[in-house]
PDB file of all heavy atoms in Angstrom:
ATOM      1  N   VAL A 309     -32.822  -7.263  -5.751  1.00 96.00           N
ATOM      2  CA  VAL A 309     -32.605  -8.349  -6.710  1.00 96.00           C
ATOM      3  C   VAL A 309     -31.804  -7.839  -7.907  1.00 96.00           C
ATOM      4  O   VAL A 309     -30.798  -8.431  -8.312  1.00 96.00           O
ATOM      5  CB  VAL A 309     -33.944  -8.951  -7.172  1.00 96.00           C
ATOM      6  CG1 VAL A 309     -33.704 -10.016  -8.237  1.00 96.00           C
ATOM      7  CG2 VAL A 309     -34.695  -9.539  -5.974  1.00 96.00           C
ATOM      8  N   VAL A 310     -32.263  -6.724  -8.470  1.00 96.00           N
ATOM      9  CA  VAL A 310     -31.529  -6.127  -9.586  1.00 96.00           C
ATOM     10  C   VAL A 310     -30.145  -5.680  -9.115  1.00 96.00           C
ATOM     11  O   VAL A 310     -29.158  -5.779  -9.846  1.00 96.00           O
ATOM     12  CB  VAL A 310     -32.318  -4.938 -10.174  1.00 96.00           C
ATOM     13  CG1 VAL A 310     -31.526  -4.292 -11.311  1.00 96.00           C
ATOM     14  CG2 VAL A 310     -33.684  -5.400 -10.671  1.00 96.00           C
ATOM     15  N   GLY A 311     -30.075  -5.226  -7.843  1.00 95.00           N
ATOM     16  CA  GLY A 311     -28.792  -4.818  -7.275  1.00 95.00           C
ATOM     17  C   GLY A 311     -27.807  -5.970  -7.215  1.00 95.00           C
ATOM     18  O   GLY A 311     -26.607  -5.800  -7.476  1.00 95.00           O
ATOM     19  N   ALA A 312     -28.287  -7.169  -6.878  1.00 95.00           N
ATOM     20  CA  ALA A 312     -27.415  -8.341  -6.830  1.00 95.00           C
ATOM     21  C   ALA A 312     -26.851  -8.659  -8.212  1.00 95.00           C
ATOM     22  O   ALA A 312     -25.652  -8.949  -8.365  1.00 95.00           O
ATOM     23  CB  ALA A 312     -28.187  -9.537  -6.280  1.00 95.00           C
ATOM     24  N   ALA A 313     -27.716  -8.616  -9.222  1.00 96.00           N
ATOM     25  CA  ALA A 313     -27.260  -8.878 -10.592  1.00 96.00           C
ATOM     26  C   ALA A 313     -26.259  -7.812 -11.037  1.00 96.00           C
ATOM     27  O   ALA A 313     -25.238  -8.116 -11.679  1.00 96.00           O
ATOM     28  CB  ALA A 313     -28.454  -8.922 -11.536  1.00 96.00           C
ATOM     29  N   HIS A 314     -26.553  -6.559 -10.685  1.00 95.00           N
ATOM     30  CA  HIS A 314     -25.657  -5.461 -11.071  1.00 95.00           C
ATOM     31  C   HIS A 314     -24.312  -5.581 -10.350  1.00 95.00           C
ATOM     32  O   HIS A 314     -23.276  -5.201 -10.900  1.00 95.00           O
ATOM     33  CB  HIS A 314     -26.315  -4.123 -10.751  1.00 95.00           C
ATOM     34  CG  HIS A 314     -25.593  -2.941 -11.327  1.00 95.00           C
ATOM     35  ND1 HIS A 314     -25.297  -2.834 -12.665  1.00 95.00           N
ATOM     36  CD2 HIS A 314     -25.100  -1.819 -10.731  1.00 95.00           C
ATOM     37  CE1 HIS A 314     -24.662  -1.694 -12.882  1.00 95.00           C
ATOM     38  NE2 HIS A 314     -24.517  -1.066 -11.721  1.00 95.00           N
ATOM     39  N   SER A 315     -24.326  -6.121  -9.124  1.00 95.00           N
ATOM     40  CA  SER A 315     -23.083  -6.314  -8.368  1.00 95.00           C
ATOM     41  C   SER A 315     -22.128  -7.214  -9.130  1.00 95.00           C
ATOM     42  O   SER A 315     -20.922  -6.933  -9.235  1.00 95.00           O
ATOM     43  CB  SER A 315     -23.382  -6.933  -6.997  1.00 95.00           C
ATOM     44  OG  SER A 315     -24.183  -6.086  -6.209  1.00 95.00           O
ATOM     45  N   LEU A 316     -22.657  -8.306  -9.672  1.00 95.00           N
ATOM     46  CA  LEU A 316     -21.820  -9.234 -10.419  1.00 95.00           C
ATOM     47  C   LEU A 316     -21.232  -8.575 -11.667  1.00 95.00           C
ATOM     48  O   LEU A 316     -20.066  -8.776 -12.001  1.00 95.00           O
ATOM     49  CB  LEU A 316     -22.630 -10.472 -10.811  1.00 95.00           C
ATOM     50  CG  LEU A 316     -23.195 -11.301  -9.644  1.00 95.00           C
ATOM     51  CD1 LEU A 316     -24.044 -12.450 -10.186  1.00 95.00           C
ATOM     52  CD2 LEU A 316     -22.061 -11.838  -8.776  1.00 95.00           C
ATOM     53  N   GLN A 317     -22.047  -7.760 -12.329  1.00 95.00           N
ATOM     54  CA  GLN A 317     -21.561  -7.077 -13.525  1.00 95.00           C
ATOM     55  C   GLN A 317     -20.464  -6.074 -13.166  1.00 95.00           C
ATOM     56  O   GLN A 317     -19.478  -5.917 -13.893  1.00 95.00           O
ATOM     57  CB  GLN A 317     -22.714  -6.365 -14.229  1.00 95.00           C
ATOM     58  CG  GLN A 317     -22.326  -5.721 -15.555  1.00 95.00           C
ATOM     59  CD  GLN A 317     -21.775  -6.734 -16.539  1.00 95.00           C
ATOM     60  OE1 GLN A 317     -22.355  -7.791 -16.766  1.00 95.00           O
ATOM     61  NE2 GLN A 317     -20.622  -6.441 -17.132  1.00 95.00           N
ATOM     62  N   LEU A 318     -20.634  -5.398 -12.020  1.00 94.00           N
ATOM     63  CA  LEU A 318     -19.617  -4.444 -11.581  1.00 94.00           C
ATOM     64  C   LEU A 318     -18.291  -5.145 -11.292  1.00 94.00           C
ATOM     65  O   LEU A 318     -17.217  -4.622 -11.618  1.00 94.00           O
ATOM     66  CB  LEU A 318     -20.101  -3.702 -10.330  1.00 94.00           C
ATOM     67  CG  LEU A 318     -21.219  -2.678 -10.538  1.00 94.00           C
ATOM     68  CD1 LEU A 318     -21.757  -2.191  -9.201  1.00 94.00           C
ATOM     69  CD2 LEU A 318     -20.710  -1.496 -11.374  1.00 94.00           C
ATOM     70  N   VAL A 319     -18.357  -6.320 -10.672  1.00 93.00           N
ATOM     71  CA  VAL A 319     -17.137  -7.079 -10.404  1.00 93.00           C
ATOM     72  C   VAL A 319     -16.450  -7.444 -11.719  1.00 93.00           C
ATOM     73  O   VAL A 319     -15.226  -7.288 -11.865  1.00 93.00           O
ATOM     74  CB  VAL A 319     -17.447  -8.351  -9.583  1.00 93.00           C
ATOM     75  CG1 VAL A 319     -16.191  -9.221  -9.462  1.00 93.00           C
ATOM     76  CG2 VAL A 319     -17.974  -7.988  -8.203  1.00 93.00           C
ATOM     77  N   ILE A 320     -17.241  -7.908 -12.680  1.00 94.00           N
ATOM     78  CA  ILE A 320     -16.681  -8.271 -13.993  1.00 94.00           C
ATOM     79  C   ILE A 320     -16.049  -7.059 -14.663  1.00 94.00           C
ATOM     80  O   ILE A 320     -14.935  -7.136 -15.213  1.00 94.00           O
ATOM     81  CB  ILE A 320     -17.783  -8.866 -14.891  1.00 94.00           C
ATOM     82  CG1 ILE A 320     -18.256 -10.211 -14.329  1.00 94.00           C
ATOM     83  CG2 ILE A 320     -17.284  -9.031 -16.326  1.00 94.00           C
ATOM     84  CD1 ILE A 320     -19.493 -10.763 -15.006  1.00 94.00           C
ATOM     85  N   ASP A 321     -16.738  -5.928 -14.627  1.00 93.00           N
ATOM     86  CA  ASP A 321     -16.222  -4.704 -15.253  1.00 93.00           C
ATOM     87  C   ASP A 321     -14.880  -4.298 -14.658  1.00 93.00           C
ATOM     88  O   ASP A 321     -13.970  -3.854 -15.375  1.00 93.00           O
ATOM     89  CB  ASP A 321     -17.227  -3.565 -15.095  1.00 93.00           C
ATOM     90  CG  ASP A 321     -18.491  -3.776 -15.908  1.00 93.00           C
ATOM     91  OD1 ASP A 321     -18.469  -4.631 -16.825  1.00 93.00           O
ATOM     92  OD2 ASP A 321     -19.506  -3.118 -15.612  1.00 93.00           O
TER      93      ASP A 321
END
Side-chain angles (χ1 to χ4, degrees):
V309 176
V310 178
H314 190 55
S315 298
L316 299 177
Q317 185 59 49
L318 288 171
V319 173
I320 293 170
D321 291 344

